[in-house]
Amino acid sequence: MLKEERQHNILNEVELHNRVLLTDLAEKLDVSIDTVRRDVKELDGENKLVKVHGGAVSTGFANHSPTRNNVYALEEKIVIAQKATSFLKENSVILIDGGTTCLELARLLPANINLTCFTLSLPVAMELLGKPNVETIFIGGMLSKDSQIAIGSNAIHNLSQIKVDYSFIGTGYVDSAFGLTEFDWDIVQTKKAVIQASKKTVLLCISEKLNSQHRFKTCDLNMIDTMITELEPEHPLLESFKNQDLYLL
Amino acid sequence: MLKEERQHNILNEVELHNRVLLTDLAEKLDVSIDTVRRDVKELDGENKLVKVHGGAVSTGFANHSPTRNNVYALEEKIVIAQKATSFLKENSVILIDGGTTCLELARLLPANINLTCFTLSLPVAMELLGKPNVETIFIGGMLSKDSQIAIGSNAIHNLSQIKVDYSFIGTGYVDSAFGLTEFDWDIVQTKKAVIQASKKTVLLCISEKLNSQHRFKTCDLNMIDTMITELEPEHPLLESFKNQDLYLL
DNA sequence: TTAAAAAAAGCAAAATATTGCAAAATACTT
DNA sequence: AAGTATTTTGCAATATTTTGCTTTTTTTAA
C-alpha cells in the first residue's frame, strides 16, 4: 500500500470516529505500529489531526471548549483577530461586538496592556472577565437568544452614552456596493448605534462573507475605517474594495 | 480508551449536569478514581471546568463566595432554588441576582410559564438564554471579575429605571441582628439598588451563611420579604429569625 | 474533638514514545 | 542495466507517560 493511501485511510478513520488508537490502525492497515506512529506524527504536523498519547483525535474534538465548541474556519478567524490587536495601545477604550471572530479577538487581547473594553456580547464578556488587565463594561439590554448580544432600545440608548477609540465589529454580509447588511433588523439597529459610538470602526470579516448581501442594511462601506480579512491585500477578491475609502489590513 | 476521549466525556458530563461526582465518573468511565481525579485536575488547570471537593462543576457554576465550596453543597442549593420557583406565575417579571444559588434558580425556572427576567449576572444570563420561555434583559454596567455581576453607577442607574414583581437575591452573610452584609462595598451598593427595584424581595440563603456577618451592610432583615433556606422552618438555627418581620420558607 | 471521606504523594508495572540502526524498497544517475 | 543515493519500514534498546495501588495528609461531617 502507498504511504499516501495509508495516510488517507487514517484521516478517514479519524474524521469518522473522532478518535483512533494506534494499535487499531496498525492492525487494520497491516503495518507496524512504528509506521502508523510516523504517519500520524506527519499528519499532526500538517494539522490534519491531533496526535495524542496512544492515538489521535480529530482537530474539532481536540478543541472542546464550552464557549468555542465548533467554530467554523477557526484558523482564519484567529489570523484576523491577531491582526486586529495591532490597533491596541495602553489604556485604549474599545468596544468588541459579538460573533465568533470578535470572540477570538477577545481571547487574543494582549495581557501586557491595560484596556477598557465595552461589549454587548455575553460570550465576549465571559472571555474578558478572565483577563486581569481588562476593565469590562457590559452594555445592558434585551438579550437576543441566537446571537447572544444585547439588542433593543435599551442597548441602543446605553450605546448613545459612550464614545470609544475603536470598535471591532463583525457583519453578516458585506459587499463593496451595498455595504454591510444583516438578516435581522434588530441587529442592524444595534450595530448602527455601535458605529455611532466609536471614533474609528474596524470590521473583522472572514473572506467568505465578501461580496454577499442580505435584506437589512447596517451602513455603507465609507462608515468603516478599516476592514481586516485573512487575505493578503493584493488578493483578487479584495479588488472591488480597493477604491473605497477603506484601509485594508 | 484514549485519555483525550475520557476527558472529553468528563467535560460533556459536566456541561450536561453542571456537576459530577468523581466516584460516578470513575464507574462510568471504568477507570480508577485516581485517574479521574488526575483528569479533572488537568481540566481544571485548563479552565475547562472547576474542581471541587468530591467532584467537579461547570465553569459557569463556579462559586466565588467566601464560604465552603464542594459538590455536595449544591444539593442544598437546588432545594432552595426549587422552593423559590413556587413564587412564579405566568408573565411574572422577576430579577435574579448572582451567586450559585441564584444560578440554580435560573436553571430550574419552569419551562411552561412565560417570564421576563432581569439579571446582573453573566452566568445567570447565559443560563437564561437557553430558555425559550424567558425574555432576558441584562442590566449593564462594569463587570466585577470575581462575582461576575454588573456593578457600579451605571448598573445602579439602570436598576433605578425598573420595577419587578420579585427579586431573588443572595447574600454573602446574614445575621438576625445585623441583617445582610457583604465583604465588598460595590456589591452592597448594587444589591441595595436591586432591592429598591423590586416590589418583593426573596433571599435565597444556604444555612451555613446564617448568623455570620462582615464589614459592609446591605440592609436590615425587614427589607426582605421572604427568606428561603434548605432547612425546615422549625430548625433551631432559624430560631432567631422567627420574630423578625420575615416569611420563612 | 473523632471518624470517615477525599486528596496528595510516592511507587511500580504496563503501555506508549523516541531514538538509532539496518534491511528493503524506491528513485536517480551514468 | 548496474550502481548509488534516498526514502521507507521494521526492529531493538532506552526513555517517558499513564495508570492503579498503598500510604500519608488534608478536608469534611457529626
Side-chain angles (χ1 to χ4, degrees), chain B residues 22 34 37-38 41 51-55 72:
Chain B
L22 293 189
D34 302 78
R37 204 190 305 285
R38 275 184 280 237
K41 195 174 178 180
K51 178 165 166 33
V52 294
H53 195 92
Y72 302 109

Side-chain angles (χ1 to χ4, degrees), chain A residues 176-241:
Chain A
S176 53
F178 289 101
L180 280 62
T181 48
E182 302 283 346
F183 77 110
D184 183 299
W185 178 240
D186 289 318
I187 304 281
V188 161
Q189 294 303 103
T190 309
K191 218 151 268 194
K192 278 180 179 172
V194 167
I195 295 170
Q196 286 294 326
S198 38
K199 296 178 191 162
K200 296 275 185 183
T201 304
V202 179
L203 176 65
L204 310 186
C205 181
I206 193 164
S207 65
E208 65 181 5
K209 291 182 174 173
L210 297 176
N211 304 311
S212 68
Q213 61 266 338
H214 211 283
R215 194 187 314 270
F216 302 111
K217 180 160 178 173
T218 308
C219 66
D220 277 317
L221 270 180
N222 59 25
M223 298 293 287
I224 306 298
D225 298 286
T226 305
M227 182 170 84
I228 305 181
T229 74
E230 83 277 17
L231 305 173
E232 295 299 313
E234 291 76 25
H235 197 281
L237 260 178
L238 293 172
E239 197 51 50
S240 60
F241 290 87

Side-chain angles (χ1 to χ4, degrees), chain A residues 76-175:
Chain A
E76 288 88 347
K77 290 175 181 181
I78 289 175
V79 169
I80 294 170
Q82 193 65 60
K83 285 184 184 178
T85 60
S86 65
F87 284 87
L88 305 172
K89 299 186 190 66
E90 177 76 11
N91 294 321
S92 287
V93 178
I94 64 172
L95 186 151
I96 300 182
D97 191 18
T100 49
T101 312
C102 289
L103 180 58
E104 286 307 319
L105 173 58
R107 252 171 221 280
L108 292 174
L109 286 184
N112 57 345
I113 54 182
N114 293 311
L115 297 169
T116 300
C117 186
F118 290 82
T119 188
L120 305 130
S121 159
L122 233 43
V124 167
M126 277 288 192
E127 195 63 41
L128 295 177
L129 275 186
K131 309 232 164 205
N133 59 318
V134 179
E135 172 102 326
T136 311
I137 300 112
F138 195 93
I139 308 289
M142 198 169 61
L143 296 178
S144 153
K145 289 204 190 301
D146 53 351
S147 60
Q148 303 191 307
I149 64 171
I151 57 171
S153 59
N154 198 272
I156 290 168
H157 175 260
N158 284 331
L159 282 167
S160 74
Q161 308 292 98
I162 63 169
K163 202 77 177 177
V164 301
D165 299 331
Y166 284 99
S167 281
F168 298 92
I169 70 169
T171 187
Y173 312 86
V174 60
D175 183 281

Side-chain angles (χ1 to χ4, degrees), chain B residues 10-133:
Chain B
I10 292 174
L11 281 179
N12 278 342
E13 205 68 17
V14 169
E15 279 165 34
L16 187 62
H17 298 112
N18 276 320
R19 68 204 174 86
V20 283
L21 303 178
L22 293 189
T23 51
D24 290 350
L25 283 176
E27 191 180 350
K28 186 167 288 186
L29 298 169
D30 196 31
V31 288
S32 79
I33 194 150
D34 302 78
T35 301
V36 174
R37 204 190 305 285
R38 275 184 280 237
D39 281 339
V40 165
K41 195 174 178 180
E42 204 177 317
L43 291 168
D44 183 45
E46 297 164 13
N47 293 316
K48 301 277 180 74
L49 49 69
V50 175
K51 178 165 166 33
V52 294
H53 195 92
V57 298
S58 67
T59 45
F61 238 82
N63 193 359
H64 10 71
S65 87
T67 48
R68 168 181 70 157
N69 191 6
N70 78 45
V71 76
Y72 302 109
L74 288 169
E75 309 279 355
E76 295 132 31
K77 293 177 182 181
I78 289 171
V79 170
I80 295 170
Q82 192 65 60
K83 286 184 184 178
T85 61
S86 65
F87 285 86
L88 305 173
K89 298 186 189 66
E90 176 75 11
N91 295 322
S92 287
V93 178
I94 65 173
L95 186 149
I96 300 182
D97 190 18
T100 50
T101 313
C102 289
L103 182 58
E104 274 299 337
L105 173 58
R107 269 194 60 223
L108 293 174
L109 287 183
N112 57 343
I113 54 181
N114 294 311
L115 297 168
T116 299
C117 186
F118 290 82
T119 188
L120 306 130
S121 158
L122 233 43
V124 167
M126 277 288 191
E127 195 64 44
L128 295 176
L129 275 186
K131 310 233 165 206
N133 59 319

Side-chain angles (χ1 to χ4, degrees), chain A residues 22-54:
Chain A
L22 292 188
T23 50
D24 288 351
L25 283 176
E27 191 180 348
K28 185 166 287 185
L29 300 168
D30 196 29
V31 287
S32 80
I33 193 146
D34 303 76
T35 301
V36 268
R37 206 191 301 284
R38 275 185 280 239
D39 281 339
V40 164
K41 197 171 182 178
E42 204 176 319
L43 292 168
D44 182 45
E46 298 163 14
N47 291 316
K48 292 287 177 187
L49 48 69
V50 177
K51 175 165 163 37
V52 298
H53 194 94

